[in-house]
């Protein structure tokens, strides 16, 4: 919700960015000053640590708003020629940023961190050998569940989606005020992850020829599955993280949240009182299908074309995501690092507060991170897709017209826009 | 007299008054100087942005074959954006929703404002200052805050009203479901807008000479008749003004639905035209399309305002006579 409030401040921020942009650059004493936009919590400390370790590169950090806002402002600032040198960008927005000519290819500088990330992680920022960002955090999908309530109702943790449907029915039977889960009709990233797990490929590109498969067979199957649960009143179709939803979570009326490794921190912010009650389990998979899960969310540090110091900017981006000091701070703030060394360090620590009583938390987490689907490409108009998806799915839930139809509508909107803009879309 | 003689020389020599040209020059120059600040501001903050919006609305972002995915750049597309948006059913549906919302919000806001103004203006009213402030106070609360506050009061699990009805065994009130969204949202606007409109009408009421009402009273008018036959016709211009404000305000509804959107599945990203314009500009990163939408909305607002003024002009001046 705060995203929308912040939207109103876009103009103001634009002005601020303009003022900031006027005073960048290299001072006479050889110290390079970089501007940096990012919204994560541990940022200020990490930037301070970097500045201390690099007397000749000084970084000024600004929180320009969450993922959506920040990318909007980045586009605007870039057109005005005063984008920051380095900016956080969500993985799903990176292709759109490349298409809008905002990001610089930094592959000539990234040799030293080649082995710091897994190939699946690199696929989020590296296309055809061109590198458009250094991965910061990743969100392998897992299922959060309220263990205390599961025990109370005598429920087994579902391992497959088939079992998930059965448990959902049990929940309704044993406690009619509770639901096993919520289906958030605007949760684009979440649904994309569920579809990818089932084998969907929403975009792919070769020689600037795009294939769009938002309504491919696996996606429609997943949509039908959730529609079935909605039809039988086994899950609640409602937006997530609203006052209403938060209240239900606090009442113990929502038992699971199939999401990603960043979710424990978010949920802790909503239901602090339930610290220790929750646990994570592997995301259910399809019977007979692969156990792999998708990545949901996550960001990279990107270098902009506006930057006059791409070398220093790249050095900063690499340090922030591979240096031990940096990832130690990142883990302490509740993020799951993208770097392999960071993930190993995280696994040595205690579980997040919400899961304080789960002994095998990191075991489950590490396993999820190790089994991620590879080869995911996001499209050049993910924002349109996300927006069309949210409206279509919401209408489908409200009017009872079915999620598969909404998925087909989203496909049409996305392809229509790509063709209008001039992309070469092949069937 | 030499051709080089100046006005001053001629004046000091006692020659006849200077030819009219310098005077005319001074006449045309002074207004310009006086107008300059306003004109400069108008050009800088109105004319240029409007011109830019018009120019932008004829541009389009199209793909050029560069880079690994292609690069988007601005090209001239003429009326393509207008064609696209005018043929978009959602955009028109947004105006229909506005109409449904406006039909509830505008008459109620104005009606209540007039009622309160008349009550406070009434001679025997008590606690005038307190009532005036209490009714005006919601106007001081930003729409964003008001929408959030009302949103909480509408949501089933946080609503005090639903809490009561549930205790009585009647279930929760679906404030945000189905068509109930229109009155629920109009309520926020009415709650916030009545006070402002009341003050305008009340000020206008205070301007009515006391003799008029005294004369009416001597003629045997009841208070009700005084209000209806004398005061209301005399404040008609204020009513037209507030009506115009309310109409323009309705066409520009944005804050309330935007704030309520995350709380209900009823409100889409394109629920009202301004939301669609915002989405085009900032979510879909298509500023030219947003510019085209803005131009259409601005022209529409102008046309509707002119029609309203035209339609009420005759009636209000007729009432004055």
């Amino acid at each position: 919700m705060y995203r929308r409030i912040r939207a109103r401040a876009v103009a103001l921020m634009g002005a601020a960015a303009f003022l900031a942009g006027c005073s960048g650059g290299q001072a006479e004493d050889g110290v390079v000053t970089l501007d940096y936009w990012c919204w994560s919590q541990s940022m200020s400390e990490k930037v301070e640590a970097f500045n201390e370790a690099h007397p000749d590169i000084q970084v000024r950090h600004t929180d320009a708003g969450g993922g959506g806002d920040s990318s909007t402002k980045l586009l605007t600032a870039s057109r005005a020629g005063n984008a920051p040198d380095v900016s956080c960008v969500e993985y799903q927005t990176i292709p759109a940023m490349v298409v809008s000519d905002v990001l610089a290819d930094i592959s000539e500088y990234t040799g030293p961190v080649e082995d710091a990330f897994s190939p699946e992680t690199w696929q989020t920022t590296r296309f055809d050998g061109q590198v458009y960002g250094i991965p910061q955090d990743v969100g392998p999908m897992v299922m959060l569940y309220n263990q205390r309530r599961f025990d109370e109702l005598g429920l087994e943790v579902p391992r497959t989606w088939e079992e998930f449907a059965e448990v959902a029915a049990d929940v309704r039977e044993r406690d009619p005020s509770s639901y096993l889960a919520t289906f958030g009709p605007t949760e684009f990233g979440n649904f994309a992850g569920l579809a990818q797990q089932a084998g969907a490929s929403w975009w792919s590109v070769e020689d600037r020829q795009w294939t769009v498969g938002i309504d491919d067979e696996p996606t429609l199957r997943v949509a039908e599955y959730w529609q079935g649960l909605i039809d039988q009143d086994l899950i609640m179709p409602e937006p997530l993280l609203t006052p209403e939803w938060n209240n239900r979570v606090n009442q113990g009326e929502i038992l699971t949240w199939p999401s990603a490794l960043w979710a424990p921190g978010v949920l802790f912010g909503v239901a602090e009182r339930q610290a220790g009650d929750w646990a994570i389990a592997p995301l259910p998979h399809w019977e007979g299908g692969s156990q792999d899960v998708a990545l949901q969310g996550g960001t990279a540090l990107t270098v902009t074309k506006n930057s006059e110091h791409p070398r220093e900017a790249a050095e900063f981006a690499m340090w922030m995501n591979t240096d031990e000091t940096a990832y130690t701070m990142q883990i302490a703030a509740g993020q799951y690092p993208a770097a392999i060394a960071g993930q190993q360090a995280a696994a040595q620590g205690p579980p997040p507060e919400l899961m304080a009583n789960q002994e095998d938390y990191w075991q489950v987490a590490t396993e999820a991170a190790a089994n991620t689907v590879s080869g995911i490409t996001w499209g050049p108009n993910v924002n349109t897709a996300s927006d069309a998806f949210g409206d279509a799915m919401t209408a489908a839930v409200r009017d009872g017209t079915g999620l598969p139809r909404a998925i087909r509508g989203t496909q049409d909107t996305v392809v229509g826009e790509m063709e209008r803009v001039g992309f070469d879309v092949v069937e | 007299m030499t051709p080089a003689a100046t006005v001053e020389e001629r004046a000091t020599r006692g020659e006849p008054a200077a030819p009219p040209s310098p005077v005319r020059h001074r006449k045309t120059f002074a207004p310009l100087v006086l107008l300059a600040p306003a004109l400069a501001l108008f050009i800088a903050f109105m004319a240029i942005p409007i011109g830019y919006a018009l120019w932008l609305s004829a541009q389009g972002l199209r793909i050029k074959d560069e880079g690994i995915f292609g690069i988007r750049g601005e090209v001239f597309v003429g009326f393509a954006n207008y064609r696209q948006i005018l043929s978009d059913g959602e955009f028109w549906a947004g105006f229909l929703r506005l109409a449904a919302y406006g039909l509830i919000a505008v008459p109620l806001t104005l009606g209540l404002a007039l009622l309160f103004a008349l009550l406070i203006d009434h001679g025997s009213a008590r606690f005038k200052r307190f009532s005036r402030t209490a009714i005006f106070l919601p106007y001081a609360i930003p729409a964003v805050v008001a929408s959030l506050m009302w949103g909480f009061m509408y949501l089933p699990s946080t609503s005090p009203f639903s809490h009561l009805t549930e205790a009585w065994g009647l279930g929760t009130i679906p404030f945000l479901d189905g068509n109930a969204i229109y009155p629920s949202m109009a309520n926020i606007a009415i709650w916030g807008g009545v006070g402002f409109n009341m003050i305008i009408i009340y000020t206008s009421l205070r301007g009515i000479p006391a003799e008029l009402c005294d004369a009416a009273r001597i003629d045997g008018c009841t208070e009700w008749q005084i209000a209806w036959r004398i005061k209301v016709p005399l404040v008609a211009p204020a009513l037209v003004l507030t009506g115009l404000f309310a109409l323009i305000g309705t066409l520009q509804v944005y804050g309330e639905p935007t704030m309520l959107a995350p709380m209900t599945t009823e409100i889409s990203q394109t629920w009202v035209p301004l939301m669609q314009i915002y989405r085009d500009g900032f979510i879909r990163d298509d500023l030219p399309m947003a510019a085209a939408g803005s131009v259409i909305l601005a022209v529409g607002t102008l046309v509707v305002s002119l029609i309203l003024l035209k339609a009420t002009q005759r009636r209000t001046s007729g009432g004055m006579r």
Side-chain angles (χ1 to χ4, degrees):
Chain A
M1 212 178 310
Y2 76 105
R3 196 189 298 165
R4 302 222 162 111
I5 309 174
R6 278 175 184 244
R8 296 196 141 189
V10 164
L12 249 176
M13 292 301 294
F18 174 69
L19 292 177
C22 292
S23 54
Q26 190 151 12
E28 277 174 22
D29 52 6
V31 175
V32 172
T33 308
L34 300 176
D35 277 305
Y36 169 51
W37 285 2
C38 200
W39 59 88
S40 306
Q41 279 170 340
S42 57
M43 272 311 145
S44 320
E45 315 161 35
K46 279 166 76 178
V47 170
E48 255 169 57
F50 175 86
N51 285 343
E52 228 161 83
H54 298 78
D56 51 346
I57 308 176
Q58 292 299 301
V59 177
R60 287 185 303 212
H61 170 234
T62 309
D63 182 347
D69 284 340
S70 197
S71 67
T72 298
K73 289 171 197 166
L74 188 61
L75 277 168
T76 317
S78 174
R79 294 222 182 90
N82 49 37
D85 300 272
V86 182
S87 177
C88 282
V89 176
E90 287 174 309
Y91 296 134
Q92 59 182 33
T93 324
I94 289 181
M97 288 289 173
V98 173
V99 166
S100 294
D101 210 17
V102 175
L103 304 184
D105 171 16
I106 50 170
S107 50
E108 56 179 303
Y109 313 114
T110 53
V113 294
E114 177 69 39
D115 299 325
F117 305 94
S118 73
E120 287 83 17
T121 307
W122 266 124
Q123 272 174 351
T124 55
T125 62
R126 186 165 63 183
F127 316 102
D128 275 354
Q130 306 190 355
V131 176
Y132 287 97
I134 306 293
Q136 175 180 255
D137 61 320
V138 288
M141 289 184 76
V142 290
M143 184 178 75
L144 281 66
Y145 67 101
N146 188 329
Q147 191 162 27
R148 191 176 56 80
R149 292 284 290 147
F150 261 66
D151 292 346
E152 263 175 38
L153 298 175
L155 301 166
E156 288 276 324
V157 177
R159 281 163 306 162
T160 63
W161 287 114
E162 287 82 358
E163 284 178 22
F164 186 84
E166 288 162 22
V167 176
D170 291 343
V171 171
R172 299 298 293 143
E173 208 181 287
R174 294 176 199 178
D175 178 5
S177 65
S178 295
Y179 283 91
L180 179 63
T182 319
F183 180 79
T186 55
E187 296 294 312
F188 174 80
N190 185 259
F191 191 83
L194 295 176
Q196 282 167 5
Q197 182 197 27
S201 164
W202 283 11
W203 280 278
S204 58
V205 60
E206 208 169 322
D207 294 335
R208 291 183 211 133
Q209 283 196 324
W210 291 87
T211 314
V212 183
I214 296 175
D215 65 348
D216 63 7
E217 193 271 323
T219 309
L220 290 176
R221 212 174 58 228
V222 172
E224 271 157 29
Y225 170 79
W226 287 95
Q227 184 62 50
L229 296 184
I230 294 171
D231 288 342
Q232 299 168 62
D233 188 34
L234 298 183
I235 54 140
M236 191 166 58
E238 213 192 60
L240 268 65
L241 296 166
T242 59
E244 176 75 14
W245 189 82
N246 298 351
N247 192 29
R248 282 178 191 272
V249 168
N250 274 299
Q251 307 286 335
E253 290 175 1
I254 291 171
L255 273 56
T256 69
W257 184 16
S259 51
L261 276 183
W262 42 258
V266 175
L267 200 61
F268 180 69
V270 167
E272 222 171 285
R273 281 183 296 138
Q274 294 182 353
D277 289 354
W278 287 70
I280 58 167
L283 189 76
H285 58 92
W286 293 98
E287 237 161 54
S290 143
Q291 308 245 355
D292 286 0
V293 292
L295 296 173
Q296 186 193 339
T299 37
L301 264 67
T302 60
V303 176
T304 64
K305 280 204 166 167
N306 284 171
S307 176
E308 285 168 21
H309 310 285
R311 174 181 300 278
E312 287 80 4
E315 191 185 334
F316 168 67
M318 290 188 283
W319 188 92
M320 290 289 276
N321 296 315
T322 52
D323 190 271
E324 195 184 337
T325 322
Y327 64 64
T328 308
M329 289 176 177
Q330 188 182 6
I331 295 163
Q335 254 184 8
Y336 190 63
I340 296 167
Q343 295 180 348
Q344 285 163 350
Q348 305 302 320
E353 281 172 89
L354 194 70
M355 282 76 181
N357 295 326
Q358 187 181 13
E359 276 165 18
D360 64 348
Y361 178 90
W362 285 113
Q363 208 176 319
V364 177
T366 314
E367 203 150 309
N371 296 317
T372 51
V373 193
S374 61
I376 295 307
T377 309
W378 290 102
N381 60 341
V382 166
N383 286 351
T384 299
S386 157
D387 169 60
F389 171 90
D391 274 353
M393 296 296 256
T394 304
V397 165
R398 184 182 65 223
D399 307 333
T401 50
L403 302 182
R405 206 175 123 186
I407 291 292
R408 290 196 192 95
T410 308
Q411 162 89 4
D412 292 345
T413 309
V414 170
V415 172
E417 200 211 42
M418 285 177 74
E419 282 174 345
R420 184 174 65 82
V421 170
F423 285 105
D424 190 1
V425 185
V426 290
E427 285 301 312
Chain B
M1 185 181 106
T2 61
T6 64
V7 186
E8 287 77 7
E9 280 167 354
R10 268 179 276 156
T12 45
R13 276 186 232 134
E15 279 175 19
S21 62
V23 179
R24 205 192 301 143
H25 179 73
R26 222 174 287 145
K27 251 186 193 162
T28 51
F29 195 63
L32 274 181
V33 171
L34 293 171
L35 263 178
L39 212 58
L41 288 172
F42 174 78
I43 289 171
F45 295 108
M46 291 290 286
I48 292 178
I50 289 173
Y52 180 65
L54 285 171
W55 177 80
L56 199 59
S57 70
Q59 302 288 310
L61 293 159
R62 297 291 182 266
I63 289 297
K64 287 175 268 181
D65 277 345
E66 286 171 37
I68 40 170
F69 300 138
I71 298 279
R72 286 192 333 156
E74 270 184 16
V75 292
F76 182 80
V77 297
F79 289 100
N81 292 328
Y82 289 97
R83 267 200 300 277
Q84 166 97 9
I85 205 162
L86 288 174
S87 63
D88 181 357
E90 239 337 88
F91 190 65
W92 295 112
F95 279 103
L96 276 183
R97 293 190 200 100
L98 269 189
Y101 160 88
L103 280 175
I104 305 171
V106 176
L108 275 175
T109 307
L110 296 187
L112 285 174
L114 179 63
L115 178 71
F116 288 139
L118 286 170
L119 287 176
I120 290 181
D121 185 53
H122 190 268
S124 58
R126 304 264 175 96
F127 309 115
K128 277 188 191 184
R129 188 168 295 180
F130 171 78
S131 316
R132 219 165 52 201
T133 314
I135 297 169
F136 184 73
L137 205 59
Y139 180 70
I141 293 171
V144 169
V145 178
S147 306
L148 270 183
M149 189 188 79
W150 279 102
F152 274 91
M153 294 207 265
Y154 290 153
L155 283 171
S157 62
T158 50
S159 167
F161 309 113
S162 288
H163 187 74
L164 278 181
T165 52
E166 256 194 327
W168 296 332
L170 298 171
T172 56
I173 309 172
F175 285 109
L176 296 172
D177 296 337
N179 287 333
I181 193 80
Y182 294 102
S184 296
M185 200 176 298
N187 174 52
I188 303 176
I190 295 166
W191 179 80
V194 163
F196 172 74
N197 290 295
M198 179 197 73
I199 294 290
I200 294 184
I201 298 170
Y202 176 71
T203 313
S204 174
L205 279 173
R206 300 304 297 162
I208 297 175
E211 306 90 76
L212 275 177
C213 296
D214 291 341
R217 238 171 246 123
I218 292 165
D219 286 348
C221 259
T222 61
E223 287 301 320
W224 173 252
Q225 284 171 322
I226 292 177
W228 194 243
R229 296 267 170 82
I230 295 182
K231 289 180 176 174
V232 172
L234 283 176
V235 297
L239 284 174
V240 171
L241 182 74
T242 51
L244 190 65
F245 284 165
L247 192 74
I248 294 175
T250 299
L251 281 167
Q252 296 180 348
V253 165
Y254 174 79
E256 289 89 352
T258 306
M259 294 311 297
L260 289 184
M263 304 184 192
T264 166
T265 54
E266 219 45 63
I267 301 172
S268 63
Q269 294 278 313
T270 52
W271 205 72
V272 289
L274 264 188
M275 286 175 78
Q276 181 160 355
I277 291 169
Y278 175 81
R279 180 204 68 176
D280 285 343
F282 294 107
I283 296 174
R284 295 199 168 173
D285 183 37
D286 193 346
L287 276 179
M289 188 68 79
S294 309
V295 170
I296 293 171
L297 182 65
V299 170
T301 307
L302 187 70
V303 168
V304 173
S305 308
L306 287 178
I307 291 174
L308 178 86
L309 284 178
K310 200 88 192 156
T312 51
Q313 213 165 28
R314 208 169 299 152
R315 202 171 299 168
T316 52
S317 54
M320 291 291 266
R321 240 176 265 140

